[in-house]
């Protein structure tokens, strides 16, 4: 049992490390995006219509979008995996519930049969006792 718990702890630590790395990567991408965005806004521009588009801005936006999609994709994959595990667990519990119901039904039938047999034996013993008492009195 301790070995299982230790394995789960190691897996949990690895998941935490993976999640921290992903969060750090997202934060770094956002920082780069903000730096580029701020640098673009600080440049002196005569008018908004004549402002040249910085090619790095589009690239940064695309990088941030792809980074968020990768992080979200990992989370979605983990959620889908969890959902499938829960569904299989639900199916297992349903099957076990049906098995337990069958077992209880079998035990109930066995108990009723035992009670009937006990009644028959008790009735026969009572009849034998009466017959024996009748023979003694005669």
């Amino acid at each position: 049992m301790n070995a299982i718990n230790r394995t789960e702890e190691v897996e949990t630590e690895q998941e935490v490390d993976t999640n921290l790395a992903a969060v750090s990567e997202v934060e770094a991408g956002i920082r780069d995006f903000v730096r580029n965005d701020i640098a673009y806004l600080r440049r002196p521009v005569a008018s908004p219509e004549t402002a040249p588009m910085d090619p790095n801005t589009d690239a940064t936006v695309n990088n941030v979008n792809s980074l968020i999609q990768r992080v979200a994709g990992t989370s979605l994959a983990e959620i889908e995996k969890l959902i499938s595990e829960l569904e299989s667990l639900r199916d297992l519990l349903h099957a076990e519930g049906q098995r337990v119901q069958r077992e209880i039904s079998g035990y109930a039938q066995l108990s009723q049969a035992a009670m009937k047999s006990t009644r028959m034996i008790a009735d026969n013993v009572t009849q034998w006792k009466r017959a024996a008492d009748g023979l003694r009195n005669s």
Side-chain angles (χ1 to χ4, degrees):
M1 185 103 178
N2 288 339
I4 292 172
N5 289 337
R6 182 64 183 147
T7 304
E8 291 174 353
E9 289 175 11
V10 169
E11 290 175 357
T12 304
E13 289 175 9
Q14 290 173 349
E15 290 175 358
V16 168
D17 291 342
T18 303
N19 289 341
L20 288 176
V23 168
S24 297
E25 193 175 337
V26 169
E27 288 176 352
I30 292 172
R31 255 188 248 110
D32 291 336
F33 174 73
V34 170
R35 283 186 193 131
N36 288 337
D37 193 35
I38 291 172
Y40 171 74
L41 292 175
R42 288 185 178 174
R43 289 186 191 135
V45 177
S47 69
E49 294 85 23
T50 60
M53 285 298 292
D54 187 5
N56 289 334
T57 303
D58 289 335
T60 304
V61 169
N62 289 335
N63 288 339
V64 170
N65 286 339
S66 67
L67 181 64
I68 290 172
Q69 286 176 350
R70 281 190 312 201
V71 171
T74 303
S75 297
L76 288 175
E78 289 177 12
I79 289 170
E80 288 175 0
K81 179 182 172 187
L82 180 62
I83 288 171
S84 67
E85 288 175 4
L86 288 173
E87 286 175 344
S88 64
L89 183 61
R90 181 194 62 201
D91 294 340
L92 174 70
L93 288 174
H94 182 68
E96 285 298 306
Q98 288 178 340
R99 183 188 64 80
V100 168
Q101 285 179 347
R102 285 191 306 271
E103 292 290 328
I104 289 172
S105 175
Y107 287 130
Q109 290 174 355
L110 184 63
S111 176
Q112 287 176 353
M115 287 176 54
K116 286 180 183 179
S117 298
T118 304
R119 277 192 206 116
M120 288 175 46
I121 291 170
D123 290 343
N124 287 337
V125 168
T126 304
Q127 288 176 0
W128 292 343
K129 185 176 180 184
R130 285 183 194 153
D133 287 343
L135 288 175
R136 285 186 199 157
N137 292 336
S138 22

